[in-house]
Amino acid sequence: MFMVTGNAAEVIRRLAERERAPSGAGLRIAADPSAGELTVGLSPRPSQGDTVMQAGGAYLFLCPVALQALDDKALDATMTEDGDFDFVMADQP
């Protein structure tokens, strides 16, 4: 099952605060069929069909394709020196 580290949850919360996102906003991971890859971005709410996860006070919205593709992955994140965020997808330990 897809998991989210404490670091990633904190970064998602900070990102939502920085962007002044509405309550309940979260990080959405979705498939981009034209590019054949997954996209990641802040979303005010889940899209229809998304699975909603909550981790450490942060919300994640995963489309069905992303949920299946990331089943054995873990989302981690770090804050860079200039205040940006880097998300990293890794195999679960």
Short mmCIF file of all heavy atoms in Angstrom, two decimals, residues 2-36:
data_model
loop_
_atom_site.label_atom_id
_atom_site.label_comp_id
_atom_site.label_asym_id
_atom_site.label_seq_id
_atom_site.Cartn_x
_atom_site.Cartn_y
_atom_site.Cartn_z
N PHE A 2 0.51 2.25 -0.76
CA PHE A 2 1.22 3.52 -0.87
C PHE A 2 1.36 4.15 0.51
O PHE A 2 0.42 4.16 1.30
CB PHE A 2 0.45 4.45 -1.80
CG PHE A 2 1.09 5.79 -2.02
CD1 PHE A 2 2.29 5.89 -2.69
CD2 PHE A 2 0.48 6.95 -1.56
CE1 PHE A 2 2.89 7.13 -2.91
CE2 PHE A 2 1.06 8.18 -1.77
CZ PHE A 2 2.26 8.27 -2.45
N MET A 3 2.55 4.66 0.81
CA MET A 3 2.73 5.30 2.11
C MET A 3 3.36 6.68 1.93
O MET A 3 3.98 6.97 0.90
CB MET A 3 3.57 4.43 3.04
CG MET A 3 5.01 4.23 2.63
SD MET A 3 5.95 3.26 3.84
CE MET A 3 6.46 4.53 4.97
N VAL A 4 3.17 7.50 2.97
CA VAL A 4 3.67 8.87 2.97
C VAL A 4 4.52 9.05 4.21
O VAL A 4 4.07 8.74 5.32
CB VAL A 4 2.49 9.86 2.99
CG1 VAL A 4 3.00 11.29 3.00
CG2 VAL A 4 1.57 9.62 1.80
N THR A 5 5.75 9.55 4.04
CA THR A 5 6.61 9.76 5.20
C THR A 5 6.15 11.01 5.97
O THR A 5 5.42 11.86 5.44
CB THR A 5 8.08 9.96 4.78
OG1 THR A 5 8.19 11.19 4.05
CG2 THR A 5 8.58 8.79 3.95
N GLY A 6 6.62 11.12 7.20
CA GLY A 6 6.33 12.31 7.99
C GLY A 6 6.86 13.57 7.34
O GLY A 6 6.21 14.63 7.39
N ASN A 7 8.04 13.47 6.71
CA ASN A 7 8.61 14.62 5.99
C ASN A 7 7.69 15.07 4.86
O ASN A 7 7.46 16.26 4.68
CB ASN A 7 9.97 14.27 5.39
CG ASN A 7 11.05 14.17 6.42
OD1 ASN A 7 10.93 14.67 7.53
ND2 ASN A 7 12.13 13.49 6.07
N ALA A 8 7.17 14.12 4.10
CA ALA A 8 6.29 14.46 2.98
C ALA A 8 5.01 15.11 3.49
O ALA A 8 4.53 16.10 2.91
CB ALA A 8 5.97 13.23 2.15
N ALA A 9 4.43 14.58 4.57
CA ALA A 9 3.22 15.15 5.14
C ALA A 9 3.46 16.60 5.57
O ALA A 9 2.64 17.49 5.30
CB ALA A 9 2.72 14.30 6.30
N GLU A 10 4.59 16.85 6.21
CA GLU A 10 4.91 18.20 6.65
C GLU A 10 5.07 19.15 5.46
O GLU A 10 4.59 20.28 5.47
CB GLU A 10 6.18 18.20 7.49
CG GLU A 10 6.54 19.58 8.01
CD GLU A 10 7.78 19.59 8.89
OE1 GLU A 10 8.24 18.52 9.33
OE2 GLU A 10 8.28 20.69 9.13
N VAL A 11 5.75 18.69 4.42
CA VAL A 11 5.94 19.53 3.24
C VAL A 11 4.61 19.83 2.56
O VAL A 11 4.37 20.96 2.13
CB VAL A 11 6.94 18.86 2.26
CG1 VAL A 11 6.91 19.52 0.89
CG2 VAL A 11 8.34 18.91 2.84
N ILE A 12 3.73 18.85 2.48
CA ILE A 12 2.41 19.08 1.87
C ILE A 12 1.65 20.13 2.67
O ILE A 12 1.04 21.05 2.10
CB ILE A 12 1.61 17.76 1.77
CG1 ILE A 12 2.30 16.82 0.78
CG2 ILE A 12 0.17 18.04 1.34
CD1 ILE A 12 1.80 15.39 0.85
N ARG A 13 1.67 20.02 4.00
CA ARG A 13 0.99 21.02 4.84
C ARG A 13 1.59 22.41 4.63
O ARG A 13 0.85 23.39 4.47
CB ARG A 13 1.08 20.64 6.32
CG ARG A 13 0.20 19.49 6.73
CD ARG A 13 0.10 19.35 8.25
NE ARG A 13 1.38 19.47 8.94
CZ ARG A 13 2.21 18.46 9.19
NH1 ARG A 13 1.89 17.22 8.81
NH2 ARG A 13 3.36 18.66 9.83
N ARG A 14 2.91 22.50 4.61
CA ARG A 14 3.57 23.80 4.40
C ARG A 14 3.25 24.38 3.02
O ARG A 14 3.06 25.58 2.87
CB ARG A 14 5.08 23.67 4.57
CG ARG A 14 5.49 23.51 6.00
CD ARG A 14 6.99 23.52 6.11
NE ARG A 14 7.42 23.31 7.47
CZ ARG A 14 8.64 23.52 7.88
NH1 ARG A 14 9.57 23.92 7.04
NH2 ARG A 14 8.97 23.32 9.14
N LEU A 15 3.25 23.53 2.02
CA LEU A 15 2.93 23.97 0.66
C LEU A 15 1.51 24.53 0.61
O LEU A 15 1.27 25.60 0.03
CB LEU A 15 3.08 22.81 -0.32
CG LEU A 15 2.80 23.08 -1.78
CD1 LEU A 15 3.74 24.16 -2.32
CD2 LEU A 15 2.94 21.80 -2.59
N ALA A 16 0.56 23.84 1.23
CA ALA A 16 -0.83 24.31 1.25
C ALA A 16 -0.93 25.65 1.98
O ALA A 16 -1.64 26.56 1.53
CB ALA A 16 -1.73 23.26 1.90
N GLU A 17 -0.21 25.80 3.08
CA GLU A 17 -0.21 27.06 3.82
C GLU A 17 0.40 28.18 2.99
O GLU A 17 -0.14 29.29 2.92
CB GLU A 17 0.57 26.92 5.12
CG GLU A 17 -0.12 26.07 6.17
CD GLU A 17 0.77 25.79 7.37
OE1 GLU A 17 1.89 26.37 7.48
OE2 GLU A 17 0.36 24.96 8.21
N ARG A 18 1.53 27.89 2.36
CA ARG A 18 2.23 28.90 1.56
C ARG A 18 1.37 29.38 0.40
O ARG A 18 1.37 30.56 0.05
CB ARG A 18 3.55 28.32 1.04
CG ARG A 18 4.38 29.34 0.26
CD ARG A 18 5.71 28.79 -0.14
NE ARG A 18 5.57 27.96 -1.32
CZ ARG A 18 6.57 27.33 -1.92
NH1 ARG A 18 7.79 27.42 -1.43
NH2 ARG A 18 6.37 26.60 -2.98
N GLU A 19 0.63 28.46 -0.19
CA GLU A 19 -0.22 28.81 -1.34
C GLU A 19 -1.61 29.29 -0.91
O GLU A 19 -2.45 29.56 -1.76
CB GLU A 19 -0.36 27.60 -2.26
CG GLU A 19 0.96 27.13 -2.85
CD GLU A 19 1.62 28.18 -3.72
OE1 GLU A 19 0.90 28.89 -4.47
OE2 GLU A 19 2.85 28.31 -3.64
N ARG A 20 -1.82 29.35 0.41
CA ARG A 20 -3.12 29.78 0.96
C ARG A 20 -4.27 28.96 0.38
O ARG A 20 -5.31 29.49 -0.01
CB ARG A 20 -3.34 31.25 0.75
CG ARG A 20 -2.31 32.08 1.48
CD ARG A 20 -2.63 33.54 1.45
NE ARG A 20 -1.65 34.24 2.25
CZ ARG A 20 -1.17 35.42 1.95
NH1 ARG A 20 -1.57 36.04 0.88
NH2 ARG A 20 -0.29 35.99 2.74
N ALA A 21 -4.04 27.66 0.32
CA ALA A 21 -5.05 26.73 -0.20
C ALA A 21 -6.20 26.62 0.79
O ALA A 21 -6.01 26.78 2.00
CB ALA A 21 -4.42 25.36 -0.43
N PRO A 22 -7.39 26.33 0.30
CA PRO A 22 -8.53 26.19 1.20
C PRO A 22 -8.38 24.97 2.11
O PRO A 22 -7.63 24.05 1.80
CB PRO A 22 -9.72 26.02 0.25
CG PRO A 22 -9.14 25.53 -1.02
CD PRO A 22 -7.75 26.10 -1.10
N SER A 23 -9.10 24.98 3.21
CA SER A 23 -9.09 23.84 4.12
C SER A 23 -9.48 22.58 3.36
O SER A 23 -10.41 22.60 2.55
CB SER A 23 -10.09 24.10 5.25
OG SER A 23 -10.15 23.00 6.11
N GLY A 24 -8.75 21.50 3.58
CA GLY A 24 -9.04 20.25 2.89
C GLY A 24 -8.28 20.08 1.59
O GLY A 24 -8.39 19.05 0.93
N ALA A 25 -7.50 21.08 1.19
CA ALA A 25 -6.70 20.97 -0.03
C ALA A 25 -5.60 19.94 0.21
O ALA A 25 -5.23 19.65 1.35
CB ALA A 25 -6.09 22.32 -0.40
N GLY A 26 -5.08 19.39 -0.87
CA GLY A 26 -4.04 18.39 -0.73
C GLY A 26 -3.20 18.25 -1.99
O GLY A 26 -3.40 18.96 -2.97
N LEU A 27 -2.29 17.33 -1.93
CA LEU A 27 -1.42 17.03 -3.05
C LEU A 27 -2.10 15.99 -3.92
O LEU A 27 -2.48 14.93 -3.43
CB LEU A 27 -0.07 16.51 -2.55
CG LEU A 27 1.01 16.38 -3.62
CD1 LEU A 27 1.52 17.78 -4.00
CD2 LEU A 27 2.16 15.54 -3.11
N ARG A 28 -2.28 16.29 -5.20
CA ARG A 28 -2.93 15.34 -6.11
C ARG A 28 -1.88 14.73 -7.01
O ARG A 28 -1.06 15.42 -7.62
CB ARG A 28 -3.99 16.03 -6.97
CG ARG A 28 -4.72 15.04 -7.86
CD ARG A 28 -6.05 15.57 -8.35
NE ARG A 28 -6.80 14.47 -8.94
CZ ARG A 28 -6.80 14.15 -10.23
NH1 ARG A 28 -6.12 14.86 -11.09
NH2 ARG A 28 -7.50 13.10 -10.66
N ILE A 29 -1.92 13.40 -7.08
CA ILE A 29 -1.06 12.64 -7.98
C ILE A 29 -1.97 11.99 -9.00
O ILE A 29 -2.88 11.23 -8.63
CB ILE A 29 -0.22 11.60 -7.23
CG1 ILE A 29 0.60 12.27 -6.12
CG2 ILE A 29 0.69 10.85 -8.20
CD1 ILE A 29 1.37 11.31 -5.23
N ALA A 30 -1.75 12.31 -10.27
CA ALA A 30 -2.65 11.85 -11.32
C ALA A 30 -1.87 11.42 -12.55
O ALA A 30 -0.73 11.84 -12.76
CB ALA A 30 -3.63 12.96 -11.68
N ALA A 31 -2.51 10.63 -13.36
CA ALA A 31 -1.91 10.17 -14.61
C ALA A 31 -2.08 11.24 -15.69
O ALA A 31 -3.12 11.88 -15.77
CB ALA A 31 -2.57 8.87 -15.06
N ASP A 32 -1.05 11.42 -16.49
CA ASP A 32 -1.11 12.28 -17.66
C ASP A 32 -0.96 11.38 -18.88
O ASP A 32 0.17 11.06 -19.28
CB ASP A 32 0.00 13.32 -17.62
CG ASP A 32 -0.02 14.25 -18.83
OD1 ASP A 32 -0.78 13.99 -19.79
OD2 ASP A 32 0.74 15.23 -18.82
N PRO A 33 -2.09 10.93 -19.45
CA PRO A 33 -2.03 9.96 -20.55
C PRO A 33 -1.22 10.44 -21.76
O PRO A 33 -0.55 9.66 -22.40
CB PRO A 33 -3.49 9.75 -20.94
CG PRO A 33 -4.29 10.25 -19.79
CD PRO A 33 -3.45 11.29 -19.11
N SER A 34 -1.26 11.75 -22.04
CA SER A 34 -0.54 12.25 -23.21
C SER A 34 0.97 12.16 -23.02
O SER A 34 1.71 11.98 -23.98
CB SER A 34 -0.94 13.69 -23.52
OG SER A 34 -0.57 14.55 -22.46
N ALA A 35 1.45 12.29 -21.79
CA ALA A 35 2.88 12.22 -21.52
C ALA A 35 3.32 10.84 -21.03
O ALA A 35 4.51 10.56 -20.96
CB ALA A 35 3.27 13.28 -20.49
N GLY A 36 2.34 10.01 -20.66
CA GLY A 36 2.68 8.68 -20.16
C GLY A 36 3.38 8.71 -18.81
O GLY A 36 4.23 7.88 -18.54
#
